[in-house]
Amino acid sequence: MKEINFRGRKVLITGGLGMIGSSIAIRLRQLGADITILDAELPMYGANKFNLEPIRGQVKMVKADIRDRRSLEQLKWDFDMIFNLAGQVSHNDSIENPYLDTEINYLGQLNVLEQARKKNPKARIFFSGSRLQFGKIEAVPVAENHPQHPLTPYALNKNAAENLHLFYHHIHGISVVVFRIANPYGPRGQMKHSKYCIVNWFVRQAMEGKTITVFGDGKQLRDYIFIDDLVEAMLAAMSSPQAGGEVFNVGSGVGISFQDMTALVVRTVGRGSIRHVGWPADYINVETGDYVSNIQKLCRLTSWRPRISIEEGIRRTVAYFRRHGCHYF
Ligand SMILES: NC(=O)c1ccc[n+]([C@@H]2O[C@H](COP(=O)([O-])OP(=O)(O)OC[C@H]3O[C@@H](n4cnc5c(N)ncnc54)[C@H](O)[C@@H]3O)[C@@H](O)[C@H]2O)c1
């Protein structure tokens, strides 16, 4: 695959109404791509039609669930690229409801890959895995070969789906690119609940003048990646001929403690307060410890570098939700 010029490229984005999907859609439209969004608009997740406001009327919308093979068969599979982002995103919920997680995050992924194999084998496919696939962290920064001891059905299914994508690459010759994403945040991220996208949730809490609850001492390190940096990483990898069949850890590459992130949110918003409480059992059991991505593999392969500091990212996030918060909470 040569360096990709996105102009006129046909792109399918599953989960395209969510934070990552809509952000990649907006960027790809700027670059002239021809976009189809597929989303089931499940209420628990971040689907939001307002996310696509900047490109309203410029993308094809399909309301469909990746668990439903029949509706996937209705699509015209003639895409150059597929960003496979539809997912159950809460790792805590996956403990309560492992069937839902498996149906979406494993079997749903299989449905997309089977359609691609049968009807669209030339499409390059992006898979959005997670840092949680590693489970307990032995040492930071975390490179791709860090041992994997998943702690939840979410992490187990992400590992299985990653392997499924790699199987389709090796056995069926479909070009896939796999990311294990750290903690993304920013404009268009869901703020309905605290189950994921925690920076966004805290921005909302602070904007509403509430007390933000931090479990434990809040000293654990996290790697928060601003959505625009993540989008550029996805484009860089999908453009790189050498990225086919490869797995990349993607984050900002910088660690910040949970409590410092929280304090930064409160300072930036200028409202809200922080309270420390003990860890609830269902959180401490699946806590990974410090996490920071080692991003050298993607940086070596492409010219991508994260550009937005956490201070700047939170400033931009707050500015976005000051203007558009009414569409989110
Ligand atoms: N947000 C994070 O912290 C994070 C971190 C690592 C990886 N990821 C992965 O990135 C992907 C996108 O996440 P996001 O942050 O944009 O979350 P999001 O909730 O904003 O978007 C997910 C989208 O997927 C859609 N969806 C869910 N199940 C579906 C189904 N069965 N069929 C069709 N659409 C479905 C939802 O309606 C939603 O629009 C997910 O696969 C997620 O697991 C997210």
Side-chain angles (χ1 to χ4, degrees):
M1 188 184 273
K2 288 207 317 273
E3 280 278 298
I4 299 170
N5 172 359
F6 292 98
R7 182 155 300 283
R9 290 288 170 148
K10 298 188 95 161
V11 179
L12 172 67
I13 306 174
T14 74
L17 283 174
M19 172 173 74
I20 303 175
S22 60
S23 302
I24 192 87
I26 292 167
R27 185 74 181 104
L28 282 169
R29 261 315 289 155
Q30 282 174 351
L31 298 172
D34 172 354
I35 295 165
T36 301
I37 300 277
L38 180 147
D39 203 296
E41 298 177 45
L42 302 180
M44 314 74 98
Y45 310 116
N48 189 329
K49 292 213 170 83
F50 184 78
N51 281 346
L52 293 176
E53 184 63 18
I55 53 172
R56 180 145 57 111
Q58 299 175 41
V59 295
K60 188 169 169 220
M61 293 288 311
V62 179
K63 184 167 179 180
D65 195 311
I66 60 167
R67 290 171 291 180
D68 177 7
R69 276 188 250 168
R70 286 234 176 82
S71 54
L72 289 186
E73 280 163 9
Q74 309 303 313
L75 284 184
K76 192 168 167 209
W77 289 87
D78 59 352
F79 303 107
D80 297 303
M81 229 176 281
I82 299 169
F83 287 87
N84 197 9
L85 303 169
Q88 188 300 109
V89 199
S90 163
H91 80 136
N92 277 76
D93 280 0
S94 75
I95 301 170
E96 273 307 302
N97 196 345
Y99 289 105
L100 177 71
D101 196 89
T102 307
E103 282 157 16
I104 298 178
N105 287 347
Y106 186 70
L107 294 175
Q109 305 299 314
L110 178 62
N111 291 340
V112 173
L113 285 163
E114 269 297 276
Q115 290 298 314
R117 176 177 76 84
K118 289 183 187 150
K119 301 175 186 161
N120 204 173
K122 296 266 180 292
R124 184 173 242 201
I125 304 184
F126 174 91
F127 173 65
S128 52
S130 162
R131 68 155 185 109
L132 292 163
Q133 290 172 234
F134 292 109
K136 288 264 184 259
I137 299 305
E138 293 174 359
V140 294
V142 177
E144 287 77 7
N145 61 0
H146 183 287
Q148 291 178 309
H149 301 296
L151 295 167
T152 61
Y154 175 78
L156 280 163
N157 283 320
K158 284 288 186 188
N159 271 346
E162 170 184 307
N163 283 317
L164 195 61
H165 280 75
L166 294 173
F167 166 79
Y168 275 76
H169 178 89
H170 295 305
I171 304 302
H172 296 305
I174 293 176
S175 181
V176 306
V177 174
V178 172
F179 273 16
R180 297 184 193 134
I181 304 168
N183 285 80
Y185 72 99
R188 295 176 289 279
Q190 71 83 21
M191 296 176 131
K192 295 182 282 195
H193 54 69
S194 61
K195 291 174 180 181
Y196 60 94
C197 240
I198 195 72
V199 175
N200 283 48
W201 172 248
F202 283 0
V203 166
R204 171 180 171 178
Q205 301 278 99
M207 286 174 73
E208 292 180 333
K210 294 198 171 136
T211 300
I212 296 172
T213 302
V214 172
F215 300 149
D217 61 13
K219 291 221 162 59
Q220 69 276 26
L221 292 180
R222 288 288 180 269
D223 179 337
Y224 301 101
I225 178 164
F226 188 64
I227 184 66
D228 293 10
D229 277 337
L230 175 57
V231 163
E232 293 309 319
M234 289 161 72
L235 294 182
M238 288 294 274
S239 302
S240 162
Q242 292 83 23
E246 295 293 334
V247 177
F248 300 93
N249 285 0
V250 177
S252 69
V254 177
I256 177 173
S257 73
F258 197 80
Q259 66 175 7
D260 286 352
M261 175 277 287
T262 313
L264 188 56
V265 167
V266 168
R267 240 183 2 261
T268 309
V269 174
R271 293 186 75 196
S273 57
I274 301 167
R275 182 168 64 104
H276 289 260
V277 298
W279 281 93
D282 54 340
Y283 275 78
I284 191 68
N285 290 343
V286 297
E287 164 59 18
T288 61
D290 291 347
Y291 185 87
V292 183
S293 312
N294 179 334
I295 56 175
Q296 282 177 14
K297 183 175 174 187
L298 186 62
C299 290
R300 266 199 310 272
L301 197 69
T302 70
S303 58
W304 174 78
R305 303 286 179 273
R307 310 240 175 250
I308 314 291
S309 67
I310 183 83
E311 291 81 6
E312 179 59 19
I314 289 178
R315 252 195 310 278
R316 292 190 194 186
T317 305
V318 171
Y320 179 85
F321 288 105
R322 281 208 167 113
R323 284 189 69 195
H324 303 302
C326 62
H327 299 282
Y328 295 85
F329 60 91

